[in-house]
Amino acid sequence: MWNFLHRFASPPYFYRLSADIARWTGWICLGLLGAGLYGGLIAAPPDYQQGDSYRIIFVHVPSAWMSLFIYTAMAVAGGIALIWRIKMAEIVTVASAPIGASFTFLALVTGSLWGKPMWGTWWVWDARLTSELILLFLYFGVIALSLAIEDRRTASRAAAILCVVGVVNIPIVHYSVEWWSTLHQGPTITKFSAPSIHLSMLIPLLSMAVAFMLFYLTVLLFRMRCELLERERHSRWVRELALEPEAAVRRV
Protein backbone atom coordinates (compact mmCIF):
# COMPACT_ATOMS: atom_id res chain seq x y z
CA MET A 1 0.00 0.00 0.00
CA TRP A 2 2.73 2.48 0.97
CA ASN A 3 4.73 1.44 -2.08
CA PHE A 4 1.73 2.24 -4.30
CA LEU A 5 1.25 5.65 -2.66
CA HIS A 6 4.94 6.38 -3.06
CA ARG A 7 4.79 5.50 -6.76
CA PHE A 8 1.54 7.48 -7.20
CA ALA A 9 3.37 10.57 -5.95
CA SER A 10 5.73 10.28 -8.92
CA PRO A 11 4.56 12.74 -11.65
CA PRO A 12 5.14 10.39 -14.65
CA TYR A 13 3.49 7.43 -12.93
CA PHE A 14 0.55 9.55 -11.75
CA TYR A 15 0.00 11.04 -15.20
CA ARG A 16 -0.20 7.66 -16.91
CA LEU A 17 -2.36 5.97 -14.27
CA SER A 18 -4.73 8.87 -13.56
CA ALA A 19 -6.32 8.74 -17.01
CA ASP A 20 -7.49 5.15 -16.46
CA ILE A 21 -8.77 5.96 -12.96
CA ALA A 22 -10.65 9.04 -14.19
CA ARG A 23 -12.25 7.03 -16.98
CA TRP A 24 -13.70 4.49 -14.52
CA THR A 25 -14.78 7.04 -11.90
CA GLY A 26 -16.43 9.16 -14.59
CA TRP A 27 -18.62 6.33 -15.89
CA ILE A 28 -19.56 5.16 -12.38
CA CYS A 29 -20.38 8.76 -11.49
CA LEU A 30 -22.78 9.04 -14.43
CA GLY A 31 -24.51 5.80 -13.46
CA LEU A 32 -24.96 6.79 -9.82
CA LEU A 33 -26.02 10.29 -10.80
CA GLY A 34 -28.75 8.94 -13.06
CA ALA A 35 -29.94 6.50 -10.39
CA GLY A 36 -29.90 9.17 -7.70
CA LEU A 37 -31.81 11.71 -9.80
CA TYR A 38 -34.43 9.14 -10.77
CA GLY A 39 -34.81 7.91 -7.21
CA GLY A 40 -34.94 11.39 -5.72
CA LEU A 41 -37.00 13.28 -8.31
CA ILE A 42 -39.36 10.53 -9.49
CA ALA A 43 -39.41 7.40 -7.34
CA ALA A 44 -39.25 8.94 -3.85
CA PRO A 45 -42.65 9.92 -2.39
CA PRO A 46 -43.50 13.54 -1.48
CA ASP A 47 -42.67 14.65 2.04
CA TYR A 48 -45.66 14.76 4.37
CA GLN A 49 -44.87 18.35 5.40
CA GLN A 50 -42.84 19.90 2.55
CA GLY A 51 -44.46 18.14 -0.38
CA ASP A 52 -42.28 18.02 -3.50
CA SER A 53 -40.24 21.08 -2.54
CA TYR A 54 -38.00 18.92 -0.33
CA ARG A 55 -36.52 17.24 -3.44
CA ILE A 56 -33.89 19.96 -3.70
CA ILE A 57 -32.10 18.19 -0.83
CA PHE A 58 -30.85 15.61 -3.34
CA VAL A 59 -28.60 18.34 -4.73
CA HIS A 60 -28.24 20.65 -1.73
CA VAL A 61 -27.17 18.14 0.89
CA PRO A 62 -24.48 16.33 -1.17
CA SER A 63 -23.16 19.73 -2.29
CA ALA A 64 -22.87 20.87 1.32
CA TRP A 65 -21.13 17.63 2.29
CA MET A 66 -18.68 18.01 -0.58
CA SER A 67 -17.92 21.63 0.35
CA LEU A 68 -16.68 20.40 3.75
CA PHE A 69 -14.99 17.26 2.46
CA ILE A 70 -12.99 18.99 -0.28
CA TYR A 71 -11.69 21.72 2.01
CA THR A 72 -10.66 19.09 4.56
CA ALA A 73 -8.87 17.16 1.81
CA MET A 74 -7.14 20.39 0.75
CA ALA A 75 -6.00 21.02 4.32
CA VAL A 76 -4.60 17.49 4.62
CA ALA A 77 -2.84 17.79 1.26
CA GLY A 78 -1.59 21.25 2.26
CA GLY A 79 -0.15 19.88 5.48
CA ILE A 80 1.62 17.10 3.57
CA ALA A 81 2.96 19.62 1.08
CA LEU A 82 4.29 21.91 3.82
CA ILE A 83 5.92 19.13 5.83
CA TRP A 84 7.25 16.76 3.17
CA ARG A 85 7.40 19.10 0.15
CA ILE A 86 5.56 16.60 -2.05
CA LYS A 87 4.71 18.20 -5.39
CA MET A 88 1.57 16.15 -6.02
CA ALA A 89 0.13 17.25 -2.66
CA GLU A 90 0.68 20.87 -3.66
CA ILE A 91 -1.17 20.23 -6.91
CA VAL A 92 -4.09 18.59 -5.06
CA THR A 93 -4.51 21.72 -2.95
CA VAL A 94 -4.53 24.11 -5.92
CA ALA A 95 -6.57 21.89 -8.25
CA SER A 96 -9.29 21.18 -5.67
CA ALA A 97 -10.10 24.80 -4.83
CA PRO A 98 -12.29 25.69 -7.87
CA ILE A 99 -14.21 22.42 -7.51
CA GLY A 100 -14.82 23.01 -3.81
CA ALA A 101 -15.87 26.60 -4.45
CA SER A 102 -18.39 25.38 -7.03
CA PHE A 103 -19.93 22.89 -4.60
CA THR A 104 -20.06 25.53 -1.85
CA PHE A 105 -21.73 28.03 -4.16
CA LEU A 106 -24.23 25.37 -5.27
CA ALA A 107 -24.98 24.52 -1.63
CA LEU A 108 -25.64 28.18 -0.81
CA VAL A 109 -27.86 28.77 -3.86
CA THR A 110 -29.93 25.61 -3.44
CA GLY A 111 -30.19 26.31 0.28
CA SER A 112 -31.64 29.74 -0.47
CA LEU A 113 -34.10 28.23 -2.95
CA TRP A 114 -35.16 25.74 -0.31
CA GLY A 115 -35.24 28.31 2.48
CA LYS A 116 -37.65 30.71 0.81
CA PRO A 117 -40.72 28.40 0.85
CA MET A 118 -39.69 26.67 4.10
CA TRP A 119 -38.54 29.63 6.23
CA GLY A 120 -40.10 32.52 4.34
CA THR A 121 -36.74 34.14 3.53
CA TRP A 122 -33.90 33.68 1.08
CA TRP A 123 -31.17 34.32 3.62
CA VAL A 124 -30.56 34.77 7.34
CA TRP A 125 -27.28 35.49 9.07
CA ASP A 126 -27.37 32.44 11.29
CA ALA A 127 -24.34 30.35 12.22
CA ARG A 128 -24.69 27.64 9.56
CA LEU A 129 -25.26 29.94 6.60
CA THR A 130 -22.65 32.49 7.69
CA SER A 131 -19.95 29.88 8.30
CA GLU A 132 -20.72 28.27 4.92
CA LEU A 133 -20.36 31.68 3.26
CA ILE A 134 -17.01 32.13 5.02
CA LEU A 135 -16.01 28.76 3.61
CA LEU A 136 -16.74 30.05 0.11
CA PHE A 137 -14.50 33.06 0.74
CA LEU A 138 -11.75 30.72 1.97
CA TYR A 139 -11.97 28.85 -1.33
CA PHE A 140 -11.74 32.16 -3.18
CA GLY A 141 -8.70 33.04 -1.10
CA VAL A 142 -6.92 29.82 -2.05
CA ILE A 143 -7.72 30.42 -5.73
CA ALA A 144 -6.53 34.04 -5.54
CA LEU A 145 -3.26 33.06 -3.84
CA SER A 146 -2.52 30.36 -6.39
CA LEU A 147 -3.02 32.87 -9.23
CA ALA A 148 -1.40 35.94 -7.67
CA ILE A 149 2.08 34.49 -7.13
CA GLU A 150 4.08 33.79 -10.26
CA ASP A 151 6.19 30.93 -8.93
CA ARG A 152 3.82 27.97 -8.81
CA ARG A 153 5.50 26.15 -5.92
CA THR A 154 5.56 29.29 -3.78
CA ALA A 155 1.91 29.95 -4.66
CA SER A 156 0.98 26.37 -3.72
CA ARG A 157 2.69 26.67 -0.34
CA ALA A 158 0.94 29.96 0.39
CA ALA A 159 -2.39 28.37 -0.53
CA ALA A 160 -1.54 25.36 1.65
CA ILE A 161 -0.98 27.62 4.67
CA LEU A 162 -4.39 29.22 4.15
CA CYS A 163 -5.99 25.77 3.88
CA VAL A 164 -4.40 24.58 7.11
CA VAL A 165 -5.37 27.75 8.99
CA GLY A 166 -8.88 27.90 7.51
CA VAL A 167 -9.73 24.29 8.35
CA VAL A 168 -10.83 25.52 11.78
CA ASN A 169 -14.01 26.70 10.06
CA ILE A 170 -15.01 23.14 9.06
CA PRO A 171 -16.16 21.95 12.53
CA ILE A 172 -17.91 25.31 12.99
CA VAL A 173 -19.94 24.70 9.82
CA HIS A 174 -20.67 21.10 10.79
CA TYR A 175 -21.66 21.63 14.42
CA SER A 176 -23.15 25.12 14.15
CA VAL A 177 -26.72 23.80 14.21
CA GLU A 178 -26.02 21.96 17.48
CA TRP A 179 -23.95 24.72 19.13
CA TRP A 180 -26.24 27.65 18.32
CA SER A 181 -29.94 28.15 17.74
CA THR A 182 -30.40 28.46 13.98
CA LEU A 183 -33.15 28.23 11.39
CA HIS A 184 -31.26 25.48 9.60
CA GLN A 185 -32.59 21.95 9.91
CA GLY A 186 -30.73 19.71 12.33
CA PRO A 187 -28.91 16.48 11.40
CA THR A 188 -31.00 13.69 9.91
CA ILE A 189 -28.63 11.31 8.12
CA THR A 190 -26.16 10.94 11.00
CA LYS A 191 -28.83 10.13 13.57
CA PHE A 192 -28.22 6.39 13.31
CA SER A 193 -30.04 5.65 16.59
CA ALA A 194 -33.23 7.31 15.31
CA PRO A 195 -32.92 8.27 11.63
CA SER A 196 -35.26 11.02 10.45
CA ILE A 197 -35.37 10.12 6.75
CA HIS A 198 -37.16 7.25 5.06
CA LEU A 199 -35.17 4.61 3.20
CA SER A 200 -36.84 5.56 -0.10
CA MET A 201 -35.28 9.01 0.28
CA LEU A 202 -32.05 7.95 1.95
CA ILE A 203 -30.88 5.60 -0.83
CA PRO A 204 -31.07 8.18 -3.69
CA LEU A 205 -29.55 10.80 -1.38
CA LEU A 206 -26.55 8.57 -0.66
CA SER A 207 -26.35 7.68 -4.36
CA MET A 208 -26.10 11.38 -5.21
CA ALA A 209 -23.49 11.87 -2.50
CA VAL A 210 -21.28 9.11 -3.91
CA ALA A 211 -21.83 10.44 -7.44
CA PHE A 212 -20.71 13.92 -6.35
CA MET A 213 -17.67 12.38 -4.65
CA LEU A 214 -16.71 10.55 -7.84
CA PHE A 215 -17.34 13.69 -9.87
CA TYR A 216 -14.88 15.54 -7.65
CA LEU A 217 -12.30 12.78 -8.03
CA THR A 218 -12.72 12.67 -11.82
CA VAL A 219 -12.46 16.42 -12.34
CA LEU A 220 -9.61 16.64 -9.82
CA LEU A 221 -7.56 14.06 -11.72
CA PHE A 222 -8.00 15.91 -15.01
CA ARG A 223 -7.15 19.25 -13.40
CA MET A 224 -4.09 17.72 -11.77
CA ARG A 225 -2.94 16.30 -15.10
CA CYS A 226 -3.17 19.74 -16.72
CA GLU A 227 -1.41 21.44 -13.81
CA LEU A 228 1.29 18.77 -13.82
CA LEU A 229 1.99 19.21 -17.53
CA GLU A 230 2.25 22.96 -17.02
CA ARG A 231 4.73 22.61 -14.17
CA GLU A 232 6.76 19.83 -15.76
CA ARG A 233 6.72 21.09 -19.34
CA HIS A 234 10.52 21.31 -19.46
CA SER A 235 11.14 17.89 -17.93
CA ARG A 236 12.31 14.90 -19.90
CA TRP A 237 9.24 12.71 -19.35
CA VAL A 238 6.90 15.42 -20.71
CA ARG A 239 9.05 15.84 -23.81
CA GLU A 240 9.01 12.08 -24.33
CA LEU A 241 5.24 12.07 -23.83
CA ALA A 242 4.86 14.77 -26.48
CA LEU A 243 6.89 12.67 -28.93
CA GLU A 244 4.78 9.51 -28.44
CA PRO A 245 2.02 10.48 -30.94
CA GLU A 246 4.64 11.37 -33.52
CA ALA A 247 6.38 8.03 -33.00
CA ALA A 248 3.05 6.21 -33.34
CA VAL A 249 2.36 7.96 -36.64
CA ARG A 250 5.78 6.96 -37.94
CA ARG A 251 5.16 3.30 -37.06
CA VAL A 252 1.90 3.41 -39.02
Side-chain angles (χ1 to χ4, degrees), residues 4-175:
F4 170 78
L5 292 176
H6 179 73
R7 293 177 63 191
F8 202 65
S10 169
Y13 184 81
F14 168 83
Y15 186 85
R16 296 182 184 277
L17 183 61
S18 58
D20 294 330
I21 296 176
R23 189 177 299 112
W24 282 101
T25 55
W27 283 113
I28 298 173
C29 170
L30 286 176
L32 289 174
L33 189 64
L37 288 175
Y38 175 80
L41 301 182
I42 298 176
D47 184 74
Y48 76 101
Q49 286 183 324
Q50 301 181 29
D52 286 322
S53 62
Y54 87 98
R55 297 184 190 276
I56 201 169
I57 70 168
F58 296 107
V59 176
H60 171 71
V61 174
S63 299
W65 287 347
M66 290 304 301
S67 69
L68 303 181
F69 173 80
I70 294 175
Y71 197 90
T72 304
M74 289 166 57
V76 172
I80 294 173
L82 291 171
I83 296 171
W84 289 289
R85 307 287 185 178
I86 297 177
K87 183 181 298 185
M88 298 308 301
E90 297 176 3
I91 295 177
V92 168
T93 303
V94 173
S96 295
I99 313 172
S102 300
F103 276 119
T104 307
F105 180 76
L106 183 60
L108 289 170
V109 170
T110 53
S112 295
L113 293 174
W114 187 15
K116 180 60 176 177
M118 294 301 105
W119 307 333
T121 179
W122 297 102
W123 181 267
V124 289
W125 291 99
D126 74 348
R128 169 60 63 84
L129 301 182
T130 304
S131 56
E132 185 75 6
L133 181 62
I134 291 173
L135 180 61
L136 179 62
F137 290 146
L138 286 171
Y139 277 118
F140 287 161
V142 173
I143 296 171
L145 275 176
S146 64
L147 296 176
I149 303 175
E150 186 174 353
D151 182 75
R152 289 183 177 270
R153 299 214 68 177
T154 304
S156 298
R157 289 167 190 154
I161 293 173
L162 178 58
C163 289
V164 173
V165 173
V167 77
V168 68
N169 187 53
I170 298 301
I172 295 176
V173 177
H174 182 72
Y175 292 107

Side-chain angles (χ1 to χ4, degrees), residues 209-229:
V210 177
F212 278 26
M213 181 79 69
L214 292 175
F215 175 83
Y216 161 64
L217 180 58
T218 304
V219 177
L220 173 64
L221 289 174
F222 281 118
R223 287 184 55 83
M224 289 179 67
R225 285 164 61 85
C226 294
E227 180 71 18
L228 188 59
L229 287 178

